[in-house]
Amino acid sequence: MRVGENLNTALAALLAREPNLYVLGEDVVDPYGGAFKITRGLSTSFPDRVLSTPISENAITGVAAGLALSGDLAIVEIMFGDFAALAFDQLLNFASKSVSMYGSRLPMRMVVRCPVGGGRGYGPTHSQALQKHFVGIPGLALYEMSPFHDNLAVFEEMFARAQPCVFFEDKVLYTRRMGAVEPPFSLTVSGGVARVFLDGSPDCVVIAPGGTAHRAMAAMRSLLVEEEIGCTLVVPSRLYPFDELDALEADVRTARHVFVVEESTAGGTWGAEVAHLLHQRHWGRLARPVTLIHSADGVVPTAAHLERAALVNETTIHSVIRETLRG
Amino acid sequence: MTRPATIETAELGLDEADLSLMLTIRAFELKLLDLYGKGLLNGTTHTCLGQEYIPVAMEALLDPRDRVFSNHRGHGHYLARFRDPAGLLAEIMGREGAVCNGVGGSQHIHRDGFLSTGVQGESLPVGVGVALHLKRTDPGRLACVYIGDGTFGEGAVYEAFNIASLWRLPLLVVVENNGIAQSTPTSRHLAGSIAGRAAAFGIRHRLIETSDVAEIRRTLEPLVSRVRSHATPLVVEFVTRRLGPHSKGDDTRSAEAVRDLREQDWYERCAAADPDRFHLLDAQARAHVDAIAAEVMARPPSRWETR
């Protein structure tokens, strides 16, 4: 099954199961079914609760917060995650704050879905990886779609938190297969963490969220074949709060080299947050500080050759890991 | 306390309970400014001096199950709904018994279908979401959102108006147009008119220029009923006056301009209409608020335990 299809199936299952769940977004109803077709079929089955909205990201997110405040569940699709900038006030100052600013815990069950990332030539305002802009907001949890995490389970977890969540979906994943790992690599998924590994002790640990996992895996294969470098890949479902240090413990202790990959541009990254947490726990035993691998410091260009040069890809990951470990 | 019998007078258009409530809100706001002046309060506040009659008039038109959204200038809205000056003052002062344990303070209050937020325009889309919920689960109830003239600078207002009208939602928008946004007069921040902006979205608009509570209720009752029965939005615009500073000591208007506003104040009008009764009720309200303030100040600090 493709990742996009898995997500669509999850949304349908949730709408069927939860009679007070709404799905809101621009152009989400049939026959269009959303810009990336993730909501296709949903409005036909649930016409009263799958609603196409005006082009009003602020209001859509506020409406979702109003529904959540009333005890309903709400999922918002932001057509391109870049436009979540227009919903930032509702997320930062209302939805996430409401969980605690009224002095006692106020459940807010809402998820804002943000298709993110480049690689499709949409240009600087339709290709960003926006995760880093939402890191560190009290009451707001961040998740990222991955080929290794069933979307229904992830949405169940997000709603169970009873706090607003942003769900980042790397657009290039929609058409990729769920859970594909080829020998000699093996896969385990435990809790919110997927682990892709080789037999024996790894030379390094690569932490890469969903959208970058396949690029990391391609680099891991070439590093193994060309350099005999063995990597363990860790794919967390939840980016923030990041508390998967226990799941990383054994691999980090063994490998002593850690890389964090993300598609974000340089500066103030999610990876810097993860590195800080790892440094606090493992400073004395790491061979060197955690290495951050991300896209260039600049806008995401439109032309294919320029975009390729700007975005983190398997070649970037391969060369950074090789140079770091081999010098 | 012995209370005089309720008297209906044509001059006041007010029964005693309404007048007492307006005077209690007035006394509460004056007490806050007094406490700030003495350095006894933390942070800031925005008083509704001059606007007290609006939530008092509206409250009789609202059902306890309606949802009410207030704003930064929200003490009157809260007091009209819950008649709880002690809980609100405790919230503002961070004392035990605070409505929100002292976390929210003056402009972030949540209690039983009432919610205030401090960012302009933010509550309108939220109110639209609540109205969507009510239309489906509790027909006949509405979401009432208080905003000011300054709020009309925010794009969220128009996004919310558009959706409320398109989806036919029971949203009652109460605009307290006090002619000034912090320090900027309406003539300098609002092109066209609020009526015109409502009309642009096909939303009915009603202008209220009186501060006579009974007349306000008579005028609005059928319109608010229609919001419920037809699940349709309504904008009610009150032309009102802000007698005090935006927050505390930041009034840049001339003394003369503020004096002119005071002459139009409901307080002066009601006092002139029935001086004896008015001054008795006013003294009672002030004494009541004084006693509450003394009692609340003596309480221990609030505790924030369930985060």
Side-chain angles (χ1 to χ4, degrees):
Chain A
M1 185 186 269
R2 308 283 169 178
V3 175
E5 190 185 348
N6 177 272
L7 178 56
N8 172 266
T9 305
L11 297 179
L14 288 162
L15 280 160
R17 185 197 303 169
E18 305 285 354
N20 61 339
L21 167 65
Y22 288 79
V23 172
L24 309 167
E26 294 154 15
D27 305 289
V28 295
V29 302
D30 293 329
Y32 196 71
F36 297 101
K37 312 305 171 196
I38 300 304
T39 57
R40 183 179 273 166
L42 302 182
S43 70
T44 302
S45 301
F46 309 97
D48 298 334
R49 295 186 288 126
V50 178
L51 305 174
S52 269
T53 67
I55 303 173
S56 304
E57 288 81 6
N58 178 320
I60 307 166
T61 309
V63 167
L67 290 167
L69 197 62
S70 307
D72 292 333
L73 287 75
I75 296 172
V76 172
E77 175 176 302
I78 302 290
M79 184 184 283
F80 284 79
D82 311 66
F83 312 156
L86 293 153
F88 196 58
D89 174 61
Q90 287 290 348
L91 281 170
L92 174 73
N93 286 323
F94 187 75
S96 61
K97 293 275 188 300
S98 293
V99 175
S100 63
M101 81 169 164
Y102 297 108
S104 55
R105 194 84 182 165
L106 185 58
M108 297 284 285
R109 297 180 182 86
M110 58 182 283
V111 175
V112 176
R113 294 181 38 232
C114 291
V116 294
R120 295 176 58 139
Y122 295 140
T125 65
H126 288 59
S127 305
Q128 296 168 87
L130 295 115
Q131 291 87 328
K132 69 179 182 182
H133 300 299
F134 295 86
V135 171
I137 296 175
L140 186 72
L142 311 180
Y143 285 74
E144 181 160 331
M145 184 173 72
S146 106
F148 305 118
H149 296 90
D150 178 59
N151 285 299
L152 181 57
V154 176
F155 272 78
E156 286 168 345
E157 182 184 322
M158 289 193 285
F159 283 128
R161 293 183 74 85
Q163 64 176 182
C165 295
V166 181
F167 187 60
F168 297 99
E169 304 165 8
D170 195 313
K171 300 187 238 357
V172 299
L173 284 183
Y174 291 140
T175 53
R176 298 187 70 88
R177 289 190 188 285
M178 288 293 289
V181 172
E182 288 178 11
F185 292 98
S186 306
L187 169 71
T188 58
V189 183
S190 172
V193 172
R195 185 167 171 268
V196 178
F197 56 98
L198 294 159
D199 291 340
S201 298
D203 298 305
C204 68
V205 177
V206 181
I207 303 170
T212 53
H214 62 279
R215 288 171 255 184
M217 286 196 295
M220 286 159 64
R221 182 168 296 279
S222 60
L223 284 163
L224 180 67
V225 172
E226 297 165 22
E227 308 287 340
E228 295 184 356
I229 292 174
C231 310
T232 292
L233 170 67
V234 172
V235 183
S237 170
R238 189 174 72 240
L239 303 182
Y240 190 87
F242 186 81
D243 54 8
E244 304 294 3
L245 294 181
D246 290 343
L248 286 162
E249 182 82 17
D251 285 327
V252 172
R253 280 174 176 273
T254 306
R256 299 173 56 239
H257 292 272
V258 181
F259 299 85
V260 186
V261 184
E262 66 195 300
E263 191 176 303
S264 158
T265 55
T269 59
W270 168 77
E273 167 76 10
V274 173
H276 172 67
L277 296 171
L278 286 167
H279 292 161
Q280 282 190 309
R281 185 185 284 209
H282 295 288
W283 187 250
R285 65 177 69 92
L286 289 171
R288 57 166 51 79
V290 171
T291 305
L292 306 183
I293 306 177
H294 43 66
S295 300
D297 180 12
V299 301
V300 181
T302 307
H305 66 290
L306 299 175
E307 186 182 35
R308 243 189 334 268
L311 296 179
V312 71
N313 58 30
E314 64 178 86
T315 311
T316 330
I317 299 167
H318 177 112
S319 58
V320 172
I321 292 176
R322 181 175 50 78
E323 284 161 23
T324 304
L325 296 187
R326 295 281 186 256
Chain B
M1 180 165 46
T2 312
R3 305 183 72 96
T6 299
I7 314 161
E8 289 281 0
T9 64
E11 294 85 354
L12 287 174
L14 270 176
D15 74 10
E16 185 188 303
D18 289 331
L19 181 55
S20 283
L21 184 53
M22 287 157 60
L23 289 166
T24 299
I25 298 170
R26 170 74 48 113
F28 185 91
E29 300 290 54
L30 290 172
K31 173 59 70 177
L32 285 186
L33 291 178
D34 177 52
L35 293 172
Y36 270 110
K38 293 172 177 162
L40 293 170
L41 294 197
N42 187 37
T44 191
T45 198
H46 310 90
T47 62
C48 66
L49 295 165
Q51 305 176 191
E52 299 91 340
Y53 65 93
I54 296 172
V56 172
M58 292 307 303
E59 193 51 38
L61 302 171
L62 298 176
D63 182 285
R65 287 176 295 169
D66 289 336
R67 308 294 201 275
V68 174
F69 290 87
S70 176
N71 52 49
H72 63 295
R73 202 175 302 287
H75 304 157
H77 308 145
Y78 177 84
L79 294 173
R81 192 139 183 95
F82 298 109
R83 330 239 160 161
D84 173 32
L88 181 58
L89 186 60
E91 180 62 35
I92 293 167
M93 299 193 77
R95 295 298 205 281
E96 198 168 80
V99 191
C100 297
N101 297 323
V103 182
S106 167
Q107 48 187 341
H108 315 96
I109 306 277
H110 179 240
R111 175 179 173 183
D112 302 334
F114 178 97
L115 185 144
S116 66
T117 56
V119 177
Q120 288 300 306
E122 190 176 70
S123 61
L124 263 170
V126 178
V128 168
V130 169
L132 175 62
H133 168 84
L134 291 172
K135 184 180 181 180
R136 180 155 168 258
T137 62
D138 197 1
R141 304 285 83 73
L142 57 78
C144 170
V145 183
Y146 286 99
I147 60 174
D149 50 291
T151 317
F152 280 83
E154 296 289 357
V157 172
Y158 310 100
E159 294 190 9
F161 276 16
N162 189 37
I163 295 176
S165 185
L166 275 174
W167 294 358
R168 299 184 57 81
L169 298 177
L171 179 74
L172 170 60
V173 180
V174 178
V175 184
E176 296 171 313
N177 181 352
N178 59 21
I180 188 163
Q182 195 144 340
S183 72
T184 306
T186 308
S187 59
R188 301 279 294 275
H189 76 69
L190 193 131
S193 67
I194 290 168
R197 294 180 186 205
F201 295 93
I203 297 177
R204 182 178 284 204
H205 168 274
R206 179 70 198 210
L207 188 69
I208 302 284
E209 295 184 279
T210 180
S211 58
D212 183 312
V213 167
E215 187 185 335
I216 292 167
R217 289 175 183 160
R218 275 196 303 275
T219 304
L220 290 182
E221 197 283 326
L223 298 172
V224 173
S225 291
R226 196 168 177 280
V227 173
R228 302 180 189 285
S229 58
H230 288 63
T232 184
L234 170 70
V235 172
V236 177
E237 177 187 357
F238 285 90
V239 176
T240 188
R241 292 150 292 278
R242 192 193 83 199
L243 301 180
H246 164 69
S247 51
K248 36 175 189 169
D250 60 351
D251 205 337
T252 50
R253 297 173 296 188
S254 69
E256 188 185 6
V258 176
R259 193 165 55 243
D260 287 348
L261 294 178
R262 285 191 184 284
E263 285 170 9
Q264 305 164 40
D265 184 20
W266 63 266
Y267 185 92
E268 302 300 334
R269 183 173 58 77
C270 292
D274 187 351
D276 291 347
R277 186 175 74 121
F278 182 88
H279 291 299
L280 175 66
L281 293 176
D282 195 20
Q284 287 174 351
R286 287 168 188 262
H288 181 50
V289 168
D290 282 344
I292 283 171
E295 188 271 316
V296 167
M297 278 191 283
R299 295 182 189 179
S302 63
R303 285 179 296 179
W304 184 22
E305 284 165 352
T306 52
R307 305 186 184 199

